[in-house]
Amino acid sequence: HMYGGVGVAKFAGAIAILCGTIIGVGIFSLPFVAYQAGIIVLVAYLGWGAFVATVTALAYGELMYRTRENHRIPGYVALYLGRRWGRWAALSTLCGLFGGQLVYLLVGGHFLHQLLGFGRWPESFTVLAYAGLGALIIAGTNRRLARSELLMLPFFLVSMAFIIAQVLPHVNPGLLDDVHWQRLLLPYGVAIFSIWGLTAVAECREFLGNAHARLLKPAILTSFPFCAAAYAAFATVVAAATGGGTSPDALGGLTLLIGPGITRWFYLFGVLTTFTSYISFGITIRNVFVYDLRKSRGPSWWFAVTVPVALYVSGINNFLMMMGIIGTVSLGFETVSILLAYLQAQHLRPTGRVPYQLKLSRRTIYVLVGVITAGSLSALFSLLRHA
């Protein structure tokens, strides 16, 4: 029963898993790209991203309920669109997930270094400590994930409100309607990367179980628009306050504005926000190896915790460029694959005990696929031109 104690707890847990995965590094990178292209441009991209992510997440959820087998995105794509497409989807999904983990590792490790004030120690020390702690939690279960995200969400909201309140008096209203046309497409990939929480939909479904399956739809409809609104508020206030001093990680620029004392609180906020997403991505990688690539749990966990560290050690460290590429290429391909697989599932699989139906027409899906593909290719071209 939705309104019973268990139903409310399950609903809150589902929202926590989704929001905890969506809200990550993006919140710290968005002010920088907002200033570069224009705040109004970023807000428009976040709105579009939230719309596409919500529709795709709902389609993915329905697709899962129509399918008896338990998979993650590459497995479902292979099932409905063929093994060759499935292999490309596996490559795209894993590149996106490992790349995302590396972004969280780079930024989260940097925040931890700043928080602890390890002037004498190299930053690599805190990055590896961050990864080590993550490895222990990734070995856990989805119930533990939901519990940790549920504890984090109120802390996140309070911290964010606190940051906005501190920065609001410094806002320069003149910056709110500036648009830099030559960098118009620059925030696209970062915005899409930031709002993406699709990987968490399967973990959410697993957490809810069959008894509370109908809570998935309202959880998705609540989480994505809420996170987009939170991002838009934060990015607008920080970019309009720090202006030309907006740093790629947002917090560096804020230190100059409001002093190091309060900024330490922000760094704690940064560590915890990135860490929950790092864990969520790690659990999803582990599950892709288990359910789609048919590996046992031990090696799957090993891949999930060592690959991002290996990428870090190899010297890949431009997190903004990585977010842009993942947002345009990997997540664009993932979206198109899910929507086309959903189309097939509608025809091939009877509804059975599906808790909700989207009833998206073939024409609607083709239009969405066309617009997403065009947007991704244009943004990728722009990103490579400005690199």
Side-chain angles (χ1 to χ4, degrees), residues 60-148:
Y60 182 30
E62 186 182 325
L63 172 77
M64 285 190 284
Y65 286 116
R66 284 177 182 268
T67 315
R68 271 193 207 90
E69 304 91 329
N70 192 355
H71 292 291
R72 291 300 179 267
I73 292 168
Y76 290 113
V77 170
L79 195 64
Y80 290 108
L81 301 178
R83 289 177 68 177
R84 181 173 293 172
W85 196 308
R87 279 197 286 272
W88 282 108
L91 180 66
S92 170
T93 299
L94 287 172
C95 285
L97 286 167
F98 282 130
Q101 262 199 315
L102 176 59
V103 169
Y104 292 125
L105 191 60
L106 284 166
V107 181
H110 169 69
F111 287 161
L112 186 60
H113 190 263
Q114 296 293 331
L115 175 69
L116 299 175
F118 277 175
R120 293 188 303 276
W121 293 85
E123 199 166 290
S124 54
F125 178 79
T126 49
V127 170
L128 295 174
Y130 184 98
L133 186 58
L136 296 175
I137 302 175
I138 290 166
T141 63
N142 288 19
R143 196 171 289 112
R144 196 178 299 166
L145 173 70
R147 202 172 292 133
S148 65

Side-chain angles (χ1 to χ4, degrees), residues 140-194:
T141 63
N142 288 19
R143 196 171 289 112
R144 196 178 299 166
L145 173 70
R147 202 172 292 133
S148 65
E149 298 284 26
L150 200 50
L151 290 171
M152 277 297 306
L153 202 56
F155 176 78
F156 163 76
L157 294 174
V158 169
S159 302
M160 196 162 161
F162 178 65
I163 293 173
I164 288 173
Q166 292 293 323
V167 177
L168 210 51
H170 302 278
V171 164
N172 173 5
L175 292 173
L176 294 176
D177 53 3
D178 273 4
V179 174
H180 305 289
W181 296 100
Q182 70 278 21
R183 292 195 288 268
L184 196 65
L185 288 165
L186 188 68
Y188 183 87
V190 178
I192 299 296
F193 178 97
S194 302

Side-chain angles (χ1 to χ4, degrees), residues 28 225 246 270 333 344 349 359:
F28 305 107
T246 309
F333 183 75
Q344 287 293 95
R349 300 288 172 116
K359 295 189 170 72

